Amino acid sequence: MTTSPNGATRSPLIALRDPRSAAAEAYRTLRTNIQFSSLDRQLHTLLATSSAPDEGKSTTIANLAVTMAQAEQRVILVDCDLRRPTLHTLFGLPNDAGLTSTILAQDDAEIPLLETGVPGLSLLASGPLPPRPADILGSRKMEAMISRLRGLADIVLFDTPPVVAVTDAAVLATRVDGVLLVFQAGKTSRERGRQARQILEKVKANIVGVVLNNAKVEQGYGYYG
């Protein structure tokens, strides 16, 4: 959450808070670009990661999920950041059950999807944090979970930890249709960004695009409509 000058808390879900803003329009443009990037190979599963913490990956994938649901797609957002989960806080939802608790349960256990208040968008929170997150994400049960989720939605979006810091994102990247890299202007170094891309390329991940957060908008650019 961010705080306005008068002290009020503002939601980072700008696609909901201010849908006519330039930032919300940028997320809709991102949605469209992803759709066009998959004309030959349709994306049913998409993973977001970054090179380092606090580069805006969770906010980016959450806003993207909102815009996709607003385009009348059935969307499931999954918090696979099993170290610093934040998606449940963005939507003001609990995290007592989720991905980890479902994987540890029976294979036919009901998936505890949460309604986000956005029609068409559900959240699978992280659930209790495990001691070895990469083992969970690389397990056969996780592979089965991805298959189950694909059957429930048009697209499934996964939020993961920074790919340079830990192996979690690289492990999961081999099991999804595409990967979105999120960097932050003025913070992500070229070397760190290059390292993130190389790690994903080594596992033959399909990098569909890069998002640059907090970039300065050229004067005169804005929402048209």
Side-chain angles (χ1 to χ4, degrees):
M1 300 290 180
T2 57
T3 304
S4 62
N6 61 10
T9 300
R10 297 192 306 167
S11 168
L13 298 176
I14 196 165
L16 286 176
R17 176 169 53 84
D18 192 1
R20 293 180 64 85
S21 66
E25 181 64 20
Y27 282 116
R28 288 190 287 270
T29 299
L30 174 62
R31 175 193 68 197
T32 301
N33 289 344
I34 289 172
Q35 290 171 338
F36 275 104
S37 74
S38 61
L39 288 177
D40 295 327
R41 178 187 174 186
Q42 190 171 0
L43 296 178
H44 293 288
T45 52
L46 180 68
L47 175 155
T49 188
S50 58
S51 68
D54 303 319
E55 291 182 317
K57 62 177 180 60
S58 299
T59 300
T60 296
I61 198 69
N63 276 287
L64 177 61
V66 169
T67 62
M68 286 181 166
Q70 289 171 338
E72 300 184 350
Q73 288 184 285
R74 295 176 303 152
V75 184
I76 296 177
L77 187 57
V78 186
D79 201 335
C80 291
D81 191 335
L82 304 181
R83 301 168 191 270
R84 292 175 55 187
T86 58
L87 291 182
H88 65 284
T89 62
L90 294 181
F91 290 94
L93 295 171
N95 192 31
D96 51 344
L99 176 64
T100 56
S101 53
T102 308
I103 285 180
L104 293 175
Q106 298 295 324
D107 292 341
D108 59 351
E110 183 178 354
I111 301 175
L113 296 176
L114 302 172
E115 296 299 323
T116 63
V118 180
L121 174 59
S122 300
L123 171 69
L124 180 58
S126 70
L129 303 188
R132 298 187 301 275
D135 290 349
I136 292 282
L137 298 179
S139 68
R140 291 183 178 179
K141 284 199 169 187
M142 184 64 195
E143 188 173 10
M145 174 66 73
I146 294 172
S147 180
R148 289 182 67 189
L149 292 170
R150 284 183 59 151
L152 299 174
D154 298 312
I155 188 163
V156 185
L157 305 176
F158 300 89
D159 183 25
T160 65
V163 69
V164 175
V166 290
T167 62
D168 305 22
V171 168
L172 194 58
T174 64
R175 293 181 167 177
V176 298
D177 300 329
V179 175
L180 190 66
L181 266 173
V182 180
F183 299 146
Q184 183 167 319
K187 180 175 181 178
T188 307
S189 67
R190 289 187 179 183
E191 179 55 35
R192 185 62 72 105
R194 187 180 301 113
Q195 188 178 0
R197 188 194 67 201
Q198 289 173 345
I199 291 171
L200 292 168
E201 288 176 344
K202 282 183 180 179
V203 297
K204 295 181 170 54
N206 176 30
I207 302 174
V208 299
V210 175
V211 173
L212 185 63
N213 279 323
N214 288 348
K216 290 184 179 180
V217 179
E218 292 183 8
Q219 188 173 4
Y221 176 81
Y223 175 69
Y224 175 78

